[in-house]
Amino acid sequence: MSAEIITIGTELLHGLVRNTNADRILDRLAEIGVEVTYQTTVGDDTARLSDAFRAAGHRARFVITTGGLGPTPDDLTRKVVATVFRRRLVLDETVLAHIRARFKARGIDMPAINEAQALVPRGARVIENPRGTAPGLHFEHQETDFFVLPGVPAEADAMLAQYVIPSIKATAAGPWISRRVVRTIGLSESVLAERLIGVEGEAPDVMIGYLPHSYGLDVTLTVLALDPSWAAEAIRRIERRVIEAAGDHVYGFGRDTMATVLGALLVEQGRTIATAESFTAGGIGANIASVPGASRYFLGGVTAYSNAAKTALLGVKKALIDKHGAVSAEVAEAMAAGARERFGADIAISSTGIAGPDGGTPEKPVGLFFLGLATPEGVHSVHRQVGGEREEIVVRSSALALDFVRRRVAQAPQASRGK
Amino acid sequence: MSAEIITIGTELLHGLVRNTNADRILDRLAEIGVEVTYQTTVGDDTARLSDAFRAAGHRARFVITTGGLGPTPDDLTRKVVATVFRRRLVLDETVLAHIRARFKARGIDMPAINEAQALVPRGARVIENPRGTAPGLHFEHQETDFFVLPGVPAEADAMLAQYVIPSIKATAAGPWISRRVVRTIGLSESVLAERLIGVEGEAPDVMIGYLPHSYGLDVTLTVLALDPSWAAEAIRRIERRVIEAAGDHVYGFGRDTMATVLGALLVEQGRTIATAESFTAGGIGANIASVPGASRYFLGGVTAYSNAAKTALLGVKKALIDKHGAVSAEVAEAMAAGARERFGADIAISSTGIAGPDGGTPEKPVGLFFLGLATPEGVHSVHRQVGGEREEIVVRSSALALDFVRRRVAQAPQASRGK
């Protein structure tokens, strides 16, 4: 019971566009446990597109395609479907009326060229497009269901949610993919893999995967099985071992992010937070604020790129900066204390470091940074070193800053909670 | 002279991982003008992987693959190459010594399992891996060159840059892809397309593409031709028309971003900038600071999420907030003026708005925001409305904030420049 995805469009092969349709369809199929065996991207070329349709039809139970349904001559999908599967294109009056109506609503007469979008291969059902003119198509050929969607991501996504996924869910017979993700930060793949040697034997059907992402390492536990509750139990067994092995490096599961986890902790404890940032330039605050409802605990922050700003806006003494340098534990702590006081927050987190590519020295290389944390219990700091390009350094250190808060907040003494 | 990409790994089909290897290879091939005809992703499955290698070998002049070269049993690429192309696997002592040395450098004895990574299909050249243990492979089969790389993005990327791209560049014979990207903000695809009706006729070989991205619309101009200078001239002709049609919505070309363009303007004029943000929560400052060397012009910013913070840190009068509301032109202007003064900056940009999903009202819906701009010439504000989810709203409004500054700075009177 496998599925295949074909994303169509020469622009997808030109290296500028992220293939968000493929990402989204993979995600949605994973959610309902359907295994995808191939994902192919092909340009606007009749012969290549025909081959892609034929090959997928021979291999898969379900085929989802996006792209090539527009009104211009390089939109070939409709014609290719008609030729490959020997179905004459018929003008569908209902579809035509829908397209005309969409144009009329915008005060425009339908251009003649758009009439082509009302051509439907004989026997295909029309998938309504709530967000655009190009309808989708659903047809069966031999043992395969084809779902043919437009390339505009918002349109494809709406039709996927409203029609394709429910339809596949209703017909699919398993086996199903079950998956669990354990999210960690601060551990390398090889260290964690070494700690997990032998664990695979406890549930051999569970595939353990390691996925490093921009600021951490995800451990994925995947099973292909006919019985989802058996699969869930097997995954739970391995998950317990992963949690033992990773300890407090585990910050969440599934779609948790560092920001949602920290936000939930702050809400639970009724605490507020502010930021004082230098080289992360607002990245920590933006990360905290990315969660809906963050205004309940996030009061704000200062980005003090220049030393003068550190003094003027955060009250960091000029003499302290002169003595220890802007990138130092002392300045990080003073920044956090200053932000905590000025915002009237329970907690303040600060960062000062070297994002590069310039500005590094042998003693303070690019990627070195200090984090300061001010809480009712006092002021602390840590230093860390990360690698990568400028943007990666900022992303990683912002996440490590949230992690520093998370660990401290999770450990906060009961007495200071729920104030 | 076409190329194909095969990215290998079951995890790539599970909807969690962005396929950065495919993105990167597409990008690098586009840079040297090589056309990619298919990009296929396939899981760790011997039969499917074999089919993918066979199909690509029949179709393409160059095939680049990533993944499946690790030491574990689900790493199948080496075996599949040996079987499909009938080349016996031979232990390569030089490769083995290299792998042992890498482990030794980390103070570890090489696990026996890693010996498999030193197996090389007979007649294949070894592509050195400067960042990991798995070497790459380069071999020819009939008329096709295969480049087989590991899946770890940093490793694949290094080998691509050092070996694969130079090798393809040296052997490829054209035709070549030429491409130019015009980057715009604030225009919809349909409006711009309408203004460009008929323009295609002026250089029919130039394919005009529209690529909406997170905060703007890119217009891509692409030609496949044997003579790159002829192609460049055809593209230039259409590019002039696009620039006429888009006017000052054009903010850059190619890899320019709003932040690099604004940064270059600020450097040229010798001006400094500070930010005062509410709902964008540091997104504007992070955007400005994303450019290497931004510390020359970016002094810092305040994120004042709460009204108290707007008063305490930016000097916005409480009475003003009470009278007009935090989301208002008056408060935006006061925030910008406060940041300009406190940071001692030439220019300050502010934002206040509703990021959602909650907090909208009929008068002030989600996505509405005000931008304030304080310059030596005075204080201005504008309001805008954008759509999307919370994160999209923040990304779009941060970019529009930079655009607001860009337009004003580009127009700045000569007298105030170069201070």
Side-chain angles (χ1 to χ4, degrees):
Chain A
M1 186 206 68
S2 68
E4 287 199 28
I5 300 166
I6 306 173
T7 45
I8 301 159
T10 300
E11 76 281 4
L12 297 170
L13 295 169
H14 280 174
L16 286 167
V17 203
R18 181 170 163 196
N19 195 338
T20 54
N21 282 333
D23 292 350
R24 194 62 79 99
I25 299 170
L26 287 167
D27 230 28
R28 293 222 184 247
L29 288 173
E31 274 169 13
I32 59 165
V34 170
E35 189 192 14
V36 176
T37 46
Y38 288 90
Q39 183 269 313
T40 308
T41 303
V42 58
D44 304 308
D45 175 282
T46 301
R48 289 178 201 135
L49 190 47
S50 303
D51 282 349
F53 267 95
R54 264 187 222 106
H58 285 135
R59 296 182 300 215
R61 171 71 187 82
F62 302 104
V63 178
I64 304 178
T65 78
T66 61
L69 291 181
T72 61
D74 62 348
D75 289 302
L76 304 168
T77 305
R78 224 174 264 105
K79 274 184 218 158
V80 163
V81 165
T83 311
V84 169
F85 303 108
R86 297 170 185 275
R87 289 161 181 260
R88 187 194 299 269
L89 289 171
V90 183
L91 190 79
D92 184 312
E93 293 292 344
T94 316
V95 171
L96 188 61
H98 172 81
I99 298 173
R100 273 193 219 283
R102 281 201 80 90
F103 275 97
K104 201 166 178 188
R106 290 159 51 199
I108 311 170
D109 281 340
M110 186 191 83
I113 196 177
N114 285 75
E115 197 168 302
Q117 294 188 301
L119 293 172
V120 173
R122 194 191 294 274
R125 263 152 287 171
V126 166
I127 308 177
E128 204 189 321
N129 182 344
R131 299 194 186 167
T133 53
L137 305 171
H138 174 199
F139 60 92
E140 283 142 53
H141 182 79
Q142 292 164 359
E143 302 291 292
T144 306
D145 276 85
F146 286 84
F147 300 93
V148 175
L149 306 179
V152 180
E155 299 178 17
D157 198 39
M159 294 156 86
L160 204 62
Q162 282 172 22
Y163 185 95
V164 181
I165 293 296
S167 168
I168 291 178
K169 216 172 163 179
T171 28
W176 308 96
I177 293 270
S178 300
R179 180 180 73 186
R180 178 87 168 152
V181 181
V182 183
R183 313 203 73 180
T184 74
I185 185 166
L187 274 179
S188 80
E189 183 176 340
S190 58
V191 167
L192 191 53
E194 209 170 291
R195 291 189 194 166
L196 289 174
I197 285 171
V199 165
E200 271 150 355
E202 295 180 28
D205 295 284
V206 180
M207 191 176 96
I208 306 181
Y210 300 95
L211 297 178
H213 62 86
S214 59
Y215 62 80
L217 174 71
D218 288 346
V219 184
T220 61
L221 307 175
T222 314
V223 176
L224 185 66
L226 269 169
D227 177 354
S229 70
W230 175 88
E233 179 45 38
I235 286 178
R236 258 195 301 278
R237 211 172 310 143
I238 302 294
E239 186 189 18
R240 277 194 293 270
R241 298 308 213 134
V242 173
I243 294 171
E244 280 166 29
D248 70 350
H249 293 281
V250 175
Y251 66 84
F253 301 90
R255 292 186 189 275
D256 290 345
T257 66
M258 190 59 82
T260 62
V261 169
L262 176 62
L265 266 175
L266 291 169
V267 167
E268 183 197 320
Q269 301 190 1
R271 291 179 171 213
T272 58
I273 191 165
T275 59
E277 305 186 48
S278 178
F279 80 118
T280 49
I284 299 175
N287 202 335
I288 294 174
S290 66
V291 181
S295 57
R296 280 180 292 170
Y297 48 85
F298 181 49
L299 302 184
V302 167
T303 297
Y305 231 52
S306 67
N307 289 346
K310 290 182 183 73
T311 304
L313 282 114
L314 293 166
V316 181
K317 293 212 171 63
K318 190 175 172 299
L320 193 80
I321 301 176
D322 290 343
K323 187 171 171 197
H324 301 283
V327 179
S328 62
E330 291 79 3
V331 169
E333 292 184 9
M335 289 170 68
R340 181 168 181 266
E341 182 243 314
R342 293 186 180 208
F343 284 95
D346 298 320
I347 299 168
I349 174 78
S350 73
S351 70
T352 177
I354 297 151
D358 308 315
T361 64
E363 297 78 40
K364 295 185 178 174
V366 169
L368 174 76
F369 62 97
F370 294 83
L371 299 173
L373 182 70
T375 68
E377 292 82 39
V379 185
H380 310 265
S381 61
V382 289
H383 68 273
R384 294 272 187 279
Q385 168 83 45
V386 294
E389 304 279 321
R390 183 181 179 90
E391 280 193 55
E392 295 170 296
I393 287 175
V394 169
V395 167
R396 285 176 192 165
S397 23
S398 298
L400 285 168
L402 266 63
D403 188 47
F404 182 37
V405 182
R406 173 187 73 88
R407 287 161 185 256
R408 292 283 174 159
V409 171
Q411 288 167 8
Q414 208 55 42
S416 67
R417 292 195 182 177
K419 53 156 268 210
Chain B
M1 186 205 68
S2 67
E4 285 199 29
I5 300 167
I6 306 173
T7 46
I8 301 159
T10 300
E11 77 281 4
L12 297 170
L13 295 168
H14 281 172
L16 286 167
V17 203
R18 182 171 164 196
N19 195 339
T20 52
N21 282 334
D23 292 350
R24 194 63 79 101
I25 299 170
L26 287 166
D27 230 27
R28 293 225 184 245
L29 289 173
E31 275 169 12
I32 58 164
V34 170
E35 190 192 13
V36 176
T37 46
Y38 288 89
Q39 183 269 313
T40 307
T41 303
V42 58
D44 304 308
D45 175 282
T46 301
R48 289 181 202 132
L49 191 48
S50 302
D51 282 350
F53 267 95
R54 263 186 224 107
H58 285 136
R59 295 182 301 216
R61 172 70 187 82
F62 303 103
V63 178
I64 304 177
T65 78
T66 62
L69 291 181
T72 62
D74 63 346
D75 289 302
L76 304 168
T77 305
R78 225 174 261 106
K79 275 184 216 155
V80 164
V81 165
T83 312
V84 169
F85 302 107
R86 299 168 184 273
R87 287 160 182 261
R88 187 194 300 270
L89 288 171
V90 183
L91 190 79
D92 184 312
E93 293 293 344
T94 317
V95 172
L96 189 60
H98 172 80
I99 299 174
R100 272 195 221 284
R102 280 202 81 89
F103 276 96
K104 202 166 178 187
R106 289 158 53 199
I108 311 170
D109 280 341
M110 186 191 83
I113 196 178
N114 284 76
E115 198 169 301
Q117 294 187 300
L119 293 173
V120 173
R122 193 192 295 275
R125 262 151 288 171
V126 166
I127 306 177
E128 202 189 323
N129 182 343
R131 300 195 186 167
T133 53
L137 305 170
H138 173 199
F139 60 91
E140 283 143 53
H141 182 78
Q142 291 163 0
E143 301 291 292
T144 306
D145 276 87
F146 285 84
F147 301 92
V148 175
L149 306 178
V152 180
E155 298 178 17
D157 198 39
M159 294 155 87
L160 204 62
Q162 282 172 23
Y163 185 95
V164 181
I165 294 296
S167 166
I168 290 179
K169 214 172 162 180
T171 24
W176 308 95
I177 293 268
S178 300
R179 181 178 74 187
R180 177 84 170 155
V181 181
V182 183
R183 313 204 73 179
T184 74
I185 185 166
L187 274 180
S188 81
E189 182 175 340
S190 58
V191 166
L192 191 53
E194 209 170 290
R195 291 189 194 166
L196 289 174
I197 285 172
V199 165
E200 270 149 355
E202 295 179 27
D205 295 285
V206 179
M207 191 175 94
I208 305 180
Y210 301 94
L211 297 177
H213 61 85
S214 59
Y215 63 79
L217 175 71
D218 287 346
V219 184
T220 60
L221 308 175
T222 314
V223 176
L224 184 65
L226 269 169
D227 177 354
S229 69
W230 175 87
E233 178 45 39
I235 287 178
R236 257 194 303 277
R237 209 172 311 144
I238 302 294
E239 186 189 18
R240 276 193 293 269
R241 298 307 213 135
V242 173
I243 294 171
E244 278 167 30
D248 71 350
H249 293 280
V250 175
Y251 66 84
F253 301 90
R255 293 184 190 277
D256 289 346
T257 67
M258 190 58 81
T260 61
V261 169
L262 177 62
L265 267 175
L266 291 169
V267 167
E268 184 197 319
Q269 301 190 1
R271 291 179 171 213
T272 58
I273 190 165
T275 60
E277 305 186 48
S278 178
F279 80 119
T280 48
I284 299 175
N287 202 333
I288 294 174
S290 66
V291 181
S295 57
R296 278 179 292 170
Y297 49 85
F298 181 49
L299 301 183
V302 167
T303 298
Y305 231 51
S306 67
N307 289 345
K310 289 182 184 73
T311 303
L313 282 114
L314 293 166
V316 180
K317 295 213 170 62
K318 190 176 171 300
L320 192 80
I321 300 176
D322 290 343
K323 186 171 172 197
H324 301 283
V327 179
S328 63
E330 291 78 3
V331 169
E333 293 184 8
M335 288 169 69
R340 180 168 181 267
E341 182 243 313
R342 291 186 182 210
F343 284 94
D346 298 319
I347 300 169
I349 174 80
S350 73
S351 70
T352 177
I354 298 152
D358 308 315
T361 64
E363 297 78 40
K364 294 185 178 175
V366 168
L368 175 75
F369 62 96
F370 293 84
L371 299 173
L373 182 69
T375 67
E377 291 83 40
V379 184
H380 311 265
S381 62
V382 288
H383 69 274
R384 295 271 188 278
Q385 169 83 47
V386 293
E389 303 280 321
R390 184 180 178 87
E391 282 194 53
E392 294 170 295
I393 288 176
V394 170
V395 167
R396 285 175 192 165
S397 20
S398 298
L400 285 168
L402 266 63
D403 189 47
F404 182 36
V405 181
R406 174 186 72 87
R407 288 161 185 254
R408 292 283 174 160
V409 171
Q411 289 167 7
Q414 207 54 42
S416 67
R417 291 193 182 179
K419 55 155 266 205

